[in-house]
Amino acid sequence: MTQTKILIIDDEPDIRELLEITLGRLKLQTRSVGTIKDATEILKKEDFCMCLTDMKLPDGDGLDFISYTQQHYPQMPIAMITAHGSMDTAIIALKAGAFDYLTKPIDLNRLREIIKSALNLNTNKVDNIPLDKQFLGENPLIQTLRDQVNKVARSQAPVYINGESGTGKEVIAHLIHLQGSRAKQSFIAVNCGAIPSELMESEFFGHRKGSFTGANQDKIGLFQAAQGGTLFLDEVADLPLNMQVKLLRAIQEKSIRVVGDQQEQPIDVRILCATHADLAARVVDGKFRQDLYYRLNVIELKIPPLRAHKDDIPLLANALIKRAEYNVELSNAAIEKLKTYDFPGNVRELENILERAYTLCENGVIQPTDLRFASITSIEVASSPILQQPIQPRTSNSVVTRPSTTNLDHLPDLSEVDNLEEYLELIERKILTQALDENRWNRTAAAERLGLSFRSMRYRLKKLGID
């Protein structure tokens, strides 16, 4: 490490001496004081790359000092030193703006990790962030969100990202990682709802060979894979209660135990999590542990739905087209039509709509007629009348009577639909397959039967993986 100066604030001479010796061995310069008053005076005269401060000081509270430095020295990270077991105090410090925290007695290895992260804060972050990792938008709501991301990226505090499906929660998580001190380390994202409950402990913490039936070799867990970096837990609300207990311990103790191992091993991982569910309501319902919610929700970021910043639709749409390398452009009329839609699937739905429009458009320009929005009619047409009745063969002298799409009695109950996109894809797959069977898998005839262009038919079959 290069020559750098760190401010130490503690009223115990032994602690100050221990910190001075330890940091001196790391080739770091130090200045130490015993009161907040002395600290504020020395900050006026000298520059420091970091500060270590005790929580309880003779002339004030460490939290007050954090608030003071957040106003006057926002670029200087502060690590709070708290009493052993004072996790609640540590969380309060993180909420106030502390970079990280240490507990007494001070673990010197943990101290070195914090120092290293703090010194990397302005050198390790990625300056040129790829387009697919940026969170675009000029609406004040998005600008405020980006400001919040910039601020929390300078901390090691856990962050809870709340937003509807398709709003870009993982993009925000990755952006926090890229703008923080861990940018050059791993970013590991996992969907908690996609892991079978019986495999969760092994997936998160790893296992030793022979620890259970089928464990034929050692396995590295997600925490180990993210060591030194960031672990993003998407859809964290889907974690079963028994796994919530183990995750809570890992966060509190900053250590894990591999399945089949007797010893715990320390971890240095920043935790980010997200869900589209109301996590606070899950706590009230007894489906999510309150203590884990308190640990994860140190800082909360709320992502607005796309319908709340429709003025960003042209910017987002053109960026998505550029990223996908579609050689097309949006007509002004198409942009205006996009602005009339509420996008229940948010940016992800906008991306899907543009992909379909690219396939359907002619002459390299997307027109309003190329934009296909999900609607209640889609559900009506695709509900029981068509699913329960085969498509009637068309003959030269026959008239096909189509089922009515205006009878609301056939609408599925909301309890029957867990995921709208998956539900509609299931219905579309069934109708396309029936049409292909009817026409002996002649795609041109099947497309004509359904009133589709051959190009649109080919796109739909490719999207659904129907050969």
Side-chain angles (χ1 to χ4, degrees):
M1 294 181 181
T2 56
Q3 285 287 343
T4 318
K5 191 160 46 178
I6 295 177
L7 177 61
I8 300 168
I9 313 171
D10 200 298
D11 59 333
E12 297 183 42
D14 291 345
I15 296 292
R16 293 203 302 269
E17 183 179 2
L18 172 64
L19 293 173
E20 288 172 349
I21 293 172
T22 302
L23 299 182
R25 289 173 179 168
L26 296 175
K27 311 296 183 185
L28 298 171
Q29 296 180 357
T30 59
R31 292 294 300 273
S32 61
V33 295
T35 65
I36 291 178
K37 179 181 178 181
D38 291 341
T40 54
E41 288 299 320
I42 201 171
L43 280 172
K44 295 175 182 178
K45 303 173 184 176
E46 303 179 38
D47 294 326
F48 296 90
C49 67
M50 183 182 180
C51 175
L52 297 169
T53 180
D54 194 11
M55 184 68 176
K56 300 296 183 182
L57 294 164
D59 58 342
D61 193 298
L63 293 174
D64 295 332
F65 184 71
I66 290 177
S67 299
Y68 171 79
T69 57
Q70 286 286 297
Q71 293 181 357
H72 300 281
Y73 309 96
Q75 298 303 310
M76 181 181 70
I78 298 180
M80 178 67 71
I81 303 172
T82 66
H84 177 69
S86 301
M87 180 58 68
D88 291 347
T89 302
I91 289 176
I92 293 172
L94 291 171
K95 285 181 178 290
F99 171 77
D100 211 330
Y101 67 91
L102 282 163
T103 58
K104 294 180 180 179
I106 294 175
D107 183 330
L108 297 185
N109 288 328
R110 172 73 180 142
L111 171 63
R112 294 187 188 98
E113 290 174 358
I114 290 176
I115 296 294
K116 182 179 179 181
S117 293
L119 297 184
N120 285 340
L121 196 55
N122 295 318
T123 58
N124 260 11
K125 65 182 181 180
V126 175
D127 294 322
N128 297 318
I129 297 174
L131 180 62
D132 62 335
K133 300 295 187 296
Q134 296 179 26
F135 203 84
L136 302 176
E138 298 175 352
N139 184 280
L141 290 173
I142 303 303
Q143 292 178 1
T144 299
L145 178 62
R146 279 201 297 267
D147 290 341
Q148 292 173 334
V149 168
N150 292 337
K151 184 175 181 180
V152 302
R154 295 185 56 82
S155 169
Q156 299 299 296
V159 179
Y160 166 46
I161 305 168
N162 189 7
E164 296 179 6
S165 293
T167 50
K169 296 186 287 295
E170 185 169 344
V171 174
I172 288 292
H174 212 159
L175 197 57
I176 292 171
H177 171 77
L178 292 174
Q179 295 186 180
S181 62
R182 300 172 180 265
K184 300 296 175 64
Q185 305 301 320
S186 298
F187 174 85
I188 304 295
V190 55
N191 188 317
C192 298
I195 305 175
S197 57
E198 64 273 13
L199 297 179
M200 272 198 172
E201 187 172 3
S202 172
E203 288 294 318
F204 275 92
F205 307 131
H207 65 248
R208 296 298 182 206
K209 180 180 179 180
S211 56
F212 55 85
T213 302
N216 299 321
Q217 59 184 6
D218 288 353
K219 175 183 174 61
I220 298 296
L222 294 167
F223 273 92
Q224 295 156 307
Q227 181 71 4
T230 303
L231 179 59
F232 172 55
L233 306 176
D234 197 7
E235 298 305 340
V236 71
D238 292 337
L239 283 174
L241 287 171
N242 64 327
M243 191 60 209
Q244 293 177 29
V245 176
K246 294 180 173 67
L247 179 61
L248 175 64
R249 176 172 175 77
I251 294 173
Q252 288 189 162
E253 303 300 326
K254 295 186 181 294
S255 64
I256 61 169
R257 188 175 69 177
V258 177
V259 177
D261 208 344
Q262 299 300 315
Q263 300 295 324
E264 289 196 341
Q265 53 183 265
I267 53 167
D268 174 28
V269 172
R270 185 178 188 183
I271 300 291
L272 307 177
C273 70
T275 180
H276 72 280
D278 187 338
L279 208 53
R282 293 289 184 100
V283 172
V284 174
D285 293 340
K287 296 179 180 178
F288 201 86
R289 292 181 62 95
Q290 185 176 25
D291 45 7
L292 178 59
Y293 173 72
Y294 186 46
R295 300 295 184 267
L296 293 174
N297 191 19
V298 174
I299 300 172
E300 181 176 359
L301 295 180
K302 293 186 178 181
I303 306 180
L306 182 54
R307 60 183 173 275
H309 57 109
K310 285 187 176 182
D311 51 324
D312 284 329
I313 286 177
L315 174 65
L316 290 169
N318 284 305
L320 289 169
I321 289 172
K322 180 180 179 182
R323 190 181 78 184
E325 298 182 348
Y326 297 151
N327 189 24
V328 295
E329 62 182 29
L330 279 163
S331 68
N332 291 333
I335 290 176
E336 291 306 313
K337 183 175 179 180
L338 286 172
K339 288 181 179 180
T340 66
Y341 185 54
D342 278 343
F343 291 97
N346 295 291
V347 179
R348 184 184 296 127
E349 185 179 9
L350 172 60
E351 186 174 14
N352 292 339
I353 288 172
L354 293 174
E355 183 180 358
R356 288 195 294 270
Y358 165 68
T359 305
L360 298 172
C361 74
E362 303 290 344
N363 303 319
V365 180
I366 295 176
Q367 300 291 351
T369 53
D370 301 319
L371 301 172
R372 307 293 176 87
F373 298 151
S375 66
I376 197 68
T377 304
S378 302
I379 301 176
E380 292 170 5
V381 171
S383 59
S384 56
I386 287 184
L387 286 182
Q388 295 174 5
Q389 300 174 17
I391 297 177
Q392 297 298 320
R394 174 180 291 175
T395 61
S396 57
N397 57 359
S398 67
V399 177
V400 176
T401 303
R402 299 185 182 275
S404 171
T405 62
T406 58
N407 188 352
L408 297 181
D409 293 337
H410 293 299
L411 283 174
D413 186 79
L414 183 59
S415 63
E416 301 172 16
V417 181
D418 295 324
N419 184 299
L420 181 59
E421 290 185 3
E422 291 180 1
Y423 180 80
L424 294 178
E425 281 189 5
L426 178 66
I427 294 167
E428 186 177 12
R429 179 186 298 276
K430 186 175 183 66
I431 293 173
L432 291 174
T433 304
Q434 286 182 4
L436 287 166
D437 286 340
E438 173 193 319
N439 292 278
R440 299 183 180 181
W441 285 76
N442 182 317
R443 299 187 181 193
T444 302
E448 182 183 356
R449 169 66 184 85
L450 295 174
L452 299 173
S453 67
F454 179 75
R455 188 178 184 185
S456 176
M457 182 72 169
R458 183 177 59 186
Y459 162 76
R460 292 169 185 273
L461 294 176
K462 181 180 179 182
K463 180 187 72 170
L464 297 172
I466 301 175
D467 296 324

